[in-house]
Amino acid sequence: MLNFRLDHLKLRNKLIVIYVICVFLPIVLTNVTFYHVTTLNVKKQKTADAEQAITLLQSELGALIDDAAGISYLYSIDHQLGDHLNIDHASYDRYVESLNGVSNLFNRAEKEYKTISSVTIISDNPTILTSSHIIKLEDDIREADWYRQIANYNNAFPHLYVTHERISVIQKLTDRRYAAYDNVVKIDLNQNYVEQIFDLSGFEGDIYLLDPSNEARYGRLASGRPSELIAADRKLHLDEIPKPDKAIILAKQYQSSRYLGGWKVYGVLDEANILYDVRQSGRFILWFAGINFFVPTIVILIFSRSIHTRIQAILKHMKSVRGNNFERVPYYQERDEVGQLAVEFNRMSARIENLINDVYVSEIQKKELELRQRQAQLHALHSQINPHFLFNALETIRMRSLMNGESQTAKTIQNMATIFRKSIIWKRSFVTIREELELIECFLEIQKYRFDSKLEFHIEVDQSVMDIEIPKMAFLPFVENASIHGIENIPGIGYITIQIAQEQDQIIFLISDNGSGIAQANIDELHRYIHEEDAMGDSIGMKNVMTRLKIYYGESFNFAIASAPNKGTRITLRLPITRTD
């Protein structure tokens, strides 16, 4: 079936199909596969680089915060600073003297830690005088958000406080339960240094610093600008963080720190940005595939035209041969296969023309002889059942039977005479189904007389087919075979059923019996006989009918038989309504 469909394609289309399947599609599939694999590898590598950048950023930011926490811890354990903050200073001189004792602590922090922007201690000791590092706890500070976060804490541990513009470490220096005053140190990180860490991180997406409740306190976009969605009066929840359609999310959480526990560095990477260069190469692949398709296709069309046009010319001359036009194909000494085909066609055309001129008359005479032989063969078959003298003899016997009072015998002889009379009267090859049925009924009545009560038959005919013509005695031999060879040899009552109907443009004749059946070997022999051209039967049996049907219809009739020993026989015969002349 596949070869049959391929044979319908023109040569030019076959060449294009071969190119598309064998060259173009493998190249496209290879490029697409390479592009896909490259995309996956680039995405994997970029993701690994981004994860490494996030990890490094987390580490550097954690180290920066740890430095501030270390300073706050040093302040909390410094006894001299603790005494300075918790005693009541009797005079200004006493306060200045005590402040000079702890000034080295502040100076050392400013010199050693460049990552620190400022260190401020807030105290509610009324004897404290405001200076560059120590200030009084005023009401505005009490209302500040960072102070309210640690106001209720008694433990002296650092706390991380992050806003959209600053990162600070806050720690209580004293426990109010054991000290007279509240003292808090607030260490602000150098924001320029923090921004430098984010800028040099190598992460190409948006970066957020999330608190343990998944609120974004600080955000740095891929463009280098701070996130406008985070402000002093507005926090950004994790679900509200903007994400592209295809986002790569990387989150690194701090685990082992009291003040950093639960905080995380959250990165949002746009897959389209990291794959931009690869997508640009994908466009190149498409352009390359288009050029790779159209250029060879044009070349194939040019070369195939050289073949296609000449083959079309040969085909045109081949078709003209059917009209006895033996014009030669123009030949310009081409050396390819098409040129050789043109040479051979011209030689064949000349030879056929000569043969027709030499043998035409003898061939016509031969065909006429074959036709007459077929007609003689057909008339010989018809004459097998045309004994005139038997009709006269049967008529004499019937009259004697009536004179002797044997009416049933006379009826049977009358049926036999009717059969013979039909064979004498019918001069034409085709009869109506009505006439064929009259013959069948006469034959079955004779068989009932012969078998007495052993035979029963039923005939069912569609009245619309009664006047349709069929070959003479096309059905009768099957009825004869069913009654004589089928019913005769069984012990019980034999039933014969005949059905005739029309199905589309065919006459369906169906006969079934409950007789002795036909052996499979005999059925195979009958099928072999149907396909033998020169076979000729000597009786009016089924082989004889098959011969006549082949003469009338050729291969346009259908015969089917289903039988088994002792299980009866079912024969279906399909004849076209329009007979062939």
Side-chain angles (χ1 to χ4, degrees), residues 267-370:
V268 179
L269 196 61
D270 190 352
E271 182 179 313
N273 292 336
I274 64 175
L275 298 179
Y276 176 78
D277 294 335
V278 179
R279 298 283 165 78
Q280 291 296 109
S281 64
R283 296 181 181 177
F284 171 76
I285 291 176
L286 291 178
W287 280 104
F288 178 76
I291 296 173
N292 197 26
F293 174 73
F294 287 108
V295 172
T297 301
I298 294 173
V299 174
I300 289 175
L301 292 177
I302 293 173
F303 277 89
S304 65
R305 187 176 182 275
S306 170
I307 302 173
H308 179 74
T309 53
R310 290 186 291 153
I311 290 180
Q312 287 283 21
I314 295 175
L315 181 60
K316 178 181 178 182
H317 285 78
M318 285 183 174
K319 291 180 179 179
S320 66
V321 171
R322 292 182 299 183
N324 295 328
N325 183 5
F326 297 98
E327 182 183 355
R328 307 300 187 264
V329 177
Y331 174 62
Y332 303 103
Q333 297 184 346
E334 300 93 342
R335 297 183 180 180
D336 61 357
E337 290 81 356
V338 180
Q340 296 177 18
L341 181 61
V343 172
E344 294 301 324
F345 173 79
N346 290 339
R347 183 181 293 115
M348 179 190 67
S349 179
R351 184 175 180 83
I352 291 175
E353 187 175 13
N354 293 332
L355 288 173
I356 287 178
N357 293 332
D358 295 341
V359 192
Y360 183 72
V361 176
S362 61
E363 285 294 326
I364 292 178
Q365 292 175 349
K366 183 179 178 181
K367 291 297 182 179
E368 289 181 351
L369 183 60
E370 290 180 357

Side-chain angles (χ1 to χ4, degrees), residues 224-501:
R225 297 181 293 102
S227 174
E228 298 178 354
L229 300 176
I230 303 175
D233 57 345
R234 187 178 186 278
K235 301 175 183 177
L236 189 64
H237 193 268
L238 176 63
D239 298 335
E240 299 174 339
I241 293 177
K243 300 179 183 66
D245 294 335
K246 291 184 178 181
I248 299 176
I249 305 299
L250 299 173
K252 294 294 181 179
Q253 183 170 338
Y254 294 97
Q255 300 289 344
S256 59
S257 175
R258 286 181 177 269
Y259 47 88
L260 279 174
W263 286 78
K264 67 181 67 173
V265 178
Y266 187 85
V268 179
L269 196 61
D270 190 352
E271 182 179 313
N273 292 336
I274 64 175
L275 298 179
Y276 176 78
D277 294 335
V278 179
R279 298 283 165 78
Q280 291 296 109
S281 64
R283 296 181 181 177
F284 171 76
I285 291 176
L286 291 178
W287 280 104
F288 178 76
I291 296 173
N292 197 26
F293 174 73
F294 287 108
V295 172
T297 301
I298 294 173
V299 174
I300 289 175
L301 292 177
I302 293 173
F303 277 89
S304 65
R305 187 176 182 275
S306 170
I307 302 173
H308 179 74
T309 53
R310 290 186 291 153
I311 290 180
Q312 287 283 21
I314 295 175
L315 181 60
K316 178 181 178 182
H317 285 78
M318 285 183 174
K319 291 180 179 179
S320 66
V321 171
R322 292 182 299 183
N324 295 328
N325 183 5
F326 297 98
E327 182 183 355
R328 307 300 187 264
V329 177
Y331 174 62
Y332 303 103
Q333 297 184 346
E334 300 93 342
R335 297 183 180 180
D336 61 357
E337 290 81 356
V338 180
Q340 296 177 18
L341 181 61
V343 172
E344 294 301 324
F345 173 79
N346 290 339
R347 183 181 293 115
M348 179 190 67
S349 179
R351 184 175 180 83
I352 291 175
E353 187 175 13
N354 293 332
L355 288 173
I356 287 178
N357 293 332
D358 295 341
V359 192
Y360 183 72
V361 176
S362 61
E363 285 294 326
I364 292 178
Q365 292 175 349
K366 183 179 178 181
K367 291 297 182 179
E368 289 181 351
L369 183 60
E370 290 180 357
L371 180 60
R372 290 175 182 176
Q373 184 179 358
R374 286 281 183 129
Q375 291 175 346
Q377 205 174 42
L378 185 59
H379 287 305
L381 290 170
H382 288 171
S383 65
Q384 288 182 359
I385 54 172
N386 197 17
H388 293 270
F389 69 94
L390 285 180
F391 170 71
N392 295 328
L394 288 174
E395 185 64 20
T396 302
I397 296 172
R398 186 182 73 83
M399 295 302 298
R400 290 293 302 271
S401 297
L402 287 175
M403 294 173 63
N404 293 333
E406 297 177 357
S407 59
Q408 189 175 3
T409 301
K411 179 63 176 176
T412 301
I413 294 173
Q414 184 181 7
N415 288 331
M416 292 180 64
T418 301
I419 293 175
F420 286 114
R421 186 185 302 112
K422 293 288 185 182
S423 68
I424 294 172
I425 296 174
W426 287 350
K427 298 298 182 180
R428 60 189 189 277
S429 299
F430 279 74
V431 297
T432 63
I433 292 178
R434 187 188 311 276
E435 293 172 324
E436 183 78 4
L437 284 176
E438 291 176 1
L439 207 60
I440 291 174
E441 289 175 351
C442 289
F443 177 80
L444 289 175
E445 290 294 338
I446 293 173
Q447 296 303 313
K448 285 200 67 171
Y449 174 77
R450 176 187 175 190
F451 294 119
D452 197 11
S453 60
K454 185 179 180 179
L455 174 64
E456 295 291 340
F457 65 88
H458 173 71
I459 300 176
E460 182 179 337
V461 183
D462 186 352
Q463 294 301 313
S464 62
V465 303
M466 294 295 283
D467 296 322
I468 295 176
E469 291 187 343
I470 59 173
K472 182 169 59 178
M473 293 188 186
F475 298 158
L476 181 60
F478 297 102
V479 179
E480 175 193 13
N481 191 76
S483 61
I484 296 177
H485 300 290
I487 304 302
E488 184 176 5
N489 298 323
I490 64 172
I493 299 176
Y495 295 96
I496 296 177
T497 301
I498 299 173
Q499 295 175 303
I500 304 176

Side-chain angles (χ1 to χ4, degrees), residues 49-68:
D49 294 343
E51 187 172 2
Q52 184 177 2
I54 283 289
T55 303
L56 181 61
L57 174 63
Q58 180 201 25
S59 176
E60 291 180 349
L61 186 62
L64 186 62
I65 296 173
D66 285 341
D67 289 343

Side-chain angles (χ1 to χ4, degrees), residues 543-557:
K543 291 184 178 181
N544 191 294
V545 175
M546 292 297 107
T547 301
R548 291 193 293 120
L549 292 179
K550 284 194 291 183
I551 292 174
Y552 286 128
Y553 296 111
E555 300 296 331
S556 60
F557 76 97

